[in-house]
Amino acid sequence: IRATSDFHGGSKVDREIIFYRHPPRIDFAARVDLRADDVLVTADFPLAGDVVERSRGIPYGFSAVDPRVPPSALTDPRQPGTGGAILPSIRWSHYQLSSGCGLALLDRGLTGHELNGRTVALGLVNGVSRYMNRPNEMLRGQGVRDFSYALVPHSGSWQQARIARMAWEFNAPPILATNTSAGKAQSYIETSENVIVEAVRRVGRQIEVRLVEMNGQPPPAGVGQPSGEGRRVVWTSRISWTRAPVTAS
């Protein structure tokens, strides 16, 4: 579905919505040509029920909160803020409804996810023409910008729907290359379904793999080498200063 419409202050918005035959994901591509100052542009999605749990992607994991609990009732210092605010999210946020189903919002670099009652809002542009009472062209948000995001309705929990993995897949679309030949597919590491490899880098003569158990579940979590070649494997800290042997099973 394609739609073009005029927008505030002479701006224009082009929107494309893609429905698939089998996957439940609904893709959105929006192009905003902003010509007005001091405008907040959001994509809003009304929900069909009350939200009982709000989850979101964070670096190397996720965060979950009950939006019905007011900030004054929070007693855990590790859980600041409220579930009804604008919360920064990485790749995805999820809204579990009281009926037992849920809705996930996937994004590519759009971190401002807001829950306002039964409405989910995704921030696209927050144009600010002045900063500290001075003109600021960088923050005006003028011109043409493209945005990509998606909705995933589902039954059950977000863990059962594999939302975290779907968010990674949405952020790694196929790349079309010309004037080249297909390479041989090769996997250097394999994991169990509840583990996501978030980063791989070289540290000296070592290969460092950063991974996360994505569902908040206790072990087991499996990691292995499909080639079966014997290599020394150790646990390390995030800054690679400490190492401990890994026990194979």
Side-chain angles (χ1 to χ4, degrees), residues 1-247:
I1 300 175
R2 293 183 177 91
T4 299
S5 60
D6 294 329
F7 197 55
H8 178 71
S11 307
K12 290 186 178 297
V13 179
D14 296 326
R15 289 159 292 182
E16 184 177 79
I17 306 174
I18 303 174
F19 297 88
Y20 298 96
R21 179 180 297 272
H22 296 297
R25 198 180 79 192
I26 305 170
D27 290 354
F28 296 81
R31 171 168 290 184
V32 177
D33 184 0
L34 189 61
R35 300 300 176 185
D37 280 329
D38 303 316
V39 175
L40 173 63
V41 182
T42 65
D44 295 357
F45 303 97
L47 302 175
D50 295 328
V51 178
V52 298
E53 183 186 74
R54 179 185 183 184
S55 307
R56 60 191 172 106
I58 61 175
Y60 297 99
F62 68 92
S63 173
V65 64
D66 186 342
R68 300 167 298 178
V69 178
S72 58
L74 296 176
T75 58
D76 188 345
R78 297 169 299 177
Q79 191 181 31
T82 171
I86 301 176
L87 295 179
S89 306
I90 300 179
R91 287 178 291 273
W92 65 276
S93 63
H94 180 267
Y95 308 89
Q96 193 73 35
L97 304 184
S98 56
S99 60
C101 60
L103 181 74
L105 174 59
L106 316 182
D107 72 86
R108 292 176 180 154
L110 301 170
T111 59
H113 297 221
E114 180 180 6
L115 176 63
N116 184 11
R118 288 188 172 185
T119 300
V120 176
L122 176 65
L124 303 182
V125 180
N126 185 10
V128 180
S129 61
R130 302 182 69 84
Y131 178 73
M132 298 194 66
N133 206 30
R134 294 184 179 182
N136 193 308
E137 289 294 323
M138 183 180 298
L139 299 180
R140 287 183 69 195
Q142 299 286 295
V144 178
R145 285 174 169 77
D146 294 320
F147 306 96
S148 296
Y149 46 96
L151 293 178
V152 183
H154 64 88
S155 59
S157 67
W158 65 265
Q159 292 93 334
Q160 294 169 331
R162 304 173 71 248
I163 294 301
R165 188 173 295 275
M166 290 183 67
W168 274 95
E169 294 169 352
F170 182 69
N171 278 268
I175 299 176
L176 178 64
T178 60
N179 301 322
T180 184
S181 59
K184 181 181 178 182
Q186 182 178 1
S187 178
Y188 294 95
I189 187 171
E190 62 183 12
T191 71
S192 56
E193 280 292 316
N194 59 331
V195 173
I196 290 181
V197 175
E198 293 209 356
V200 178
R201 69 169 184 166
R202 184 168 182 172
V203 183
R205 299 182 62 184
Q206 312 294 324
I207 299 297
E208 182 181 275
V209 179
R210 297 186 177 185
L211 43 87
V212 60
E213 196 288 314
M214 63 183 181
N215 292 334
Q217 299 173 347
V223 181
Q225 295 172 301
S227 63
E229 298 178 6
R231 292 184 175 91
R232 182 171 177 262
V233 180
V234 297
W235 291 114
T236 182
S237 67
R238 291 187 179 181
I239 54 177
S240 308
W241 288 352
T242 61
R243 290 179 171 85
V246 174
T247 302

